[in-house]
Structure formats: C-alpha cells, structure tokens
Amino acid sequence: MNIVLQNFVIFILLLVIEMGYFGVAKKIKIYDLPNCRSSHSDMTIRGGGVIFYFAVLLYFILTPGIWELWLFLGITIVAVVSFCDDVRPVDTKIRLVFQIIGFAMILYQLNVFNIDGWKTLIIIFVCICILNVYNFMDGINGMTGIYSLVTLCTLLYINEKVTWFVYTNFIVYVIFADLIFLFFNFRKKAVCFAGDVGSICMGCIIIYLIARLVIMSPGQFSYMVFLIVYGADGGFTVIRRLFLRKNIFHPHRSQIFQLLSNEGRIPQVVVSGIYAALQLAINIGFFHVAHRYLYMTAIAVILTAAHISIYSHFDRKFSDKLIK
C-alpha cells in the first residue's frame, strides 16, 4: 500500500476509535466533574488520551518484525490501570504498583539496567521526573497535546535528518493520535480531557523515545532540553511545595501555566500555545548552537528566573490561594 494512503487510513481509523470512545464514555458516564481545584467549569469527557495507546497498538499490529514485547506490555499495563482510574478511582497503592511494573518493563526494553556506571542512575532519574511532570500536564486545555506535538515533531526531525533511533511509524502514528486529540481538546470549551490514561501514556511514549535517542547518541544528555519548559515548571513547583511543606502528590493548581490561566485570566489555549511556542523556539535554537550543554544551562537559568519572578507576582496578589 502506498505510504500516503496507508497513513491516511491510519489517521481515519484513529479518528473513528476516538469518536467511538466518546460514545462509550457518554454512555457509561466517564466524565471529569469540576471542583474547587479544577481549571474548567463544565462536565467534560475524561480519558480522551486513550487514543495515544491505540496509536501504539496499531504500530505493533501493522509493523512487521517488531519484537519490542516489553515496551508493548509496559505501556499496556500502564494504560489499563490508568484508564481504570479514569473510570472509577483506583486505590493509590494498587495504581502505583502496576505503574511501577509497567514502567520497569519499558526501562528493561531500553536495556537501561544493563548500562554501566552513573548513566543508568541518571537515565532512570530523568525518566521518573518526566513521567511525574506529564502526570500533571492535563491541567488546562491543549497543554498535553500541543506541547507533546512540539516534542514529537522535533524527535521525528532528528530521526529523519540527524540520527535514526526508532522506526518512523512509531512517532508518526502517535503524532496522528495527538492531532486528533488536539482537535477535541485545544479549544476554549474542550470536548474531552486526556485523563490519566492519556497523560501517563504520552509520558511513557516520550520517555521511551528520548531515552532511546540518548542511549543511541552517547553523551548527548543535552537532548533533555526538548522538555525543559514544562520540566522547569513542574520541577520548580515541586521544589516550592516542598519548601512550603505541602504534599507534592496532593492535587493542586499552583503551576505557572495554571496561575497564568486561572488567576491571570489568560485563555487556556493561549497559555498552552505560549508554552509550545517557547519550547519550539528553544528546540530550533538547539540545532544552531555549538555548546549544547551551555545552551541548556543558560535556558534553565532564564526559566528559573522567570518562574521566581512570576511566582513573586502572584504570591503578592493571591498568597492565600497559592499556598494551599
């Protein structure tokens, strides 16, 4: 089958799957109900990000000769337990156990545990950080989808133009799923949210791709700059909450993008677009600098200064809300 026609069929199939899920979700009432910590005020379908898992599933079904069994099993376990939690709350300990098992399978597929020296610890630590920040990314409309799209497109460019590290269809199918999800989520009134199944699955996918790229490009940990905008937001928020002696696992809306949207009254899609545009600019700059680690350090310093400045501004105006 012609590659263009094949990709068109895959795109339509994923769209049908997403629409089918909406029908099921409405029938069994898989909704995200607004509460005091929500950034939305309407009942919205939860779990629309399940389409990310189906993109991976189609990749394994339609790509012959792929034997990444542990990757498939790991993402499947994570997707199933996360989706169950979207449908009906699953005990935190049970959910955590299955997520750890699935995550360990993905790392095993990457042969992370066979890498000698300090690189193993760095890769595992970075992977855990990415998964955690992705878990909180579904906070406002468009953030999960548009930010991930920038990262996926950057990785596709590297795979095609710089260094091959994964079968192209893996990234392409996930991009298709992301575009479909964005159509329903990247709007003022979202039709659906990614849910835990979406944010965790996308986190695992991004982890696998970036970790594989780093492993196949010895010494290039500078590729982590492709997640630095949201990573800085998530990391700085965790540090701040620890400093305030707050539970970092308790739901909150004190990340910068949530403050800009909720307290700053900037439209959610605009905030998401700003994050994506900033990350895209950083990614483009990455390919035009000679000293990439110095570049990454400079970006981290600038983002840290920006976070401190923005938090200081909002602390003065909404201190009673932000410390909760």
Side-chain angles (χ1 to χ4, degrees):
M1 183 184 295
N2 179 278
I3 187 64
V4 175
L5 179 58
Q6 177 181 312
N7 285 339
F8 177 75
V9 172
I10 294 298
F11 185 88
I12 296 300
L13 182 56
L14 286 169
L15 178 60
V16 170
I17 291 173
E18 183 78 322
M19 296 296 291
Y21 171 72
F22 290 164
V24 173
K26 290 177 181 178
K27 186 173 183 178
I28 63 178
K29 295 180 170 47
I30 308 177
Y31 291 116
D32 192 301
L33 303 177
N35 55 53
C36 62
R37 295 187 183 275
S38 300
S39 297
H40 63 286
S41 57
D42 299 305
M43 186 170 62
T44 308
I45 293 174
R46 179 193 297 167
V50 71
I51 193 68
F52 305 149
Y53 171 73
F54 280 102
V56 175
L57 179 61
L58 286 176
Y59 164 75
F60 280 100
I61 292 174
L62 300 176
T63 308
I66 300 299
W67 297 102
E68 295 168 312
L69 178 61
W70 292 108
L71 170 64
F72 177 69
L73 290 177
I75 291 182
T76 299
I77 290 174
V78 168
V80 169
V81 70
S82 298
F83 181 71
C84 289
D85 190 53
D86 283 330
V87 176
R88 180 175 298 176
V90 177
D91 183 87
T92 304
K93 294 179 181 178
I94 296 176
R95 186 175 73 248
L96 184 61
V97 167
F98 281 99
Q99 287 179 343
I100 290 175
I101 293 173
F103 188 60
M105 289 180 175
I106 296 172
L107 293 179
Y108 182 78
Q109 182 69 67
L110 289 163
N111 292 318
V112 168
F113 303 115
N114 295 326
I115 298 176
D116 296 327
W118 53 271
K119 291 183 179 180
T120 301
L121 295 178
I122 290 181
I123 292 174
I124 293 176
F125 174 75
V126 169
C127 288
I128 292 174
C129 289
I130 295 174
L131 191 61
N132 275 280
V133 297
Y134 254 89
N135 191 30
F136 294 101
M137 190 177 278
D138 198 29
I140 65 173
N141 298 353
M143 182 61 75
T144 299
I146 195 68
Y147 190 85
S148 297
L149 183 64
V150 170
T151 303
L152 289 168
C153 288
T154 302
L155 293 172
L156 180 61
Y157 172 80
I158 292 175
N159 196 59
E160 294 295 300
K161 302 296 184 180
V162 181
T163 179
W164 182 92
F165 64 94
V166 72
Y167 287 102
T168 300
N169 282 350
F170 186 85
I171 304 178
V172 170
Y173 290 1
V174 177
I175 288 176
F176 286 166
D178 198 14
L179 289 171
I180 291 169
F181 171 72
L182 276 169
F183 178 76
F184 296 105
N185 178 258
F186 192 48
R187 53 177 74 185
K188 182 177 181 180
K189 184 178 180 181
V191 174
C192 69
F193 295 144
D196 281 351
V197 64
S199 57
I200 296 296
C201 273
M202 183 59 82
C204 287
I205 291 168
I206 296 296
I207 284 170
Y208 174 75
L209 291 173
I210 290 186
R212 187 173 172 87
L213 174 59
V214 170
I215 290 171
M216 296 186 70
S217 307
Q220 291 299 320
F221 284 101
S222 57
Y223 284 128
M224 296 309 304
V225 77
F226 298 150
L227 293 172
I228 198 168
V229 174
Y230 191 83
D233 193 345
F236 195 83
T237 301
V238 169
I239 293 173
R240 182 175 182 275
R241 289 184 67 79
L242 287 173
F243 180 77
L244 294 173
R245 298 181 180 180
K246 300 298 177 181
N247 186 347
I248 61 174
F249 300 105
H250 192 273
H252 62 86
R253 57 182 215 174
S254 58
Q255 289 180 279
I256 293 295
F257 71 86
Q258 291 170 318
L259 297 181
L260 293 173
S261 175
N262 299 320
E263 277 68 40
R265 302 301 180 185
I266 301 175
Q268 295 184 22
V269 294
V270 173
V271 175
S272 297
I274 290 172
Y275 268 62
L278 182 56
Q279 184 64 67
L280 178 61
I282 291 172
N283 292 0
I284 293 174
F286 175 83
F287 295 106
H288 293 86
V289 296
H291 304 287
R292 291 177 172 177
Y293 284 108
L294 181 61
Y295 176 74
M296 184 168 64
T297 301
I299 294 297
V301 171
I302 292 171
L303 289 176
T304 298
H307 278 71
I308 293 174
S309 176
I310 294 173
Y311 266 125
S312 297
H313 169 73
F314 281 105
D315 274 335
R316 289 193 296 269
K317 297 185 65 175
F318 306 100
S319 59
D320 58 325
K321 295 182 181 180
L322 303 188
I323 62 174
K324 292 182 180 180

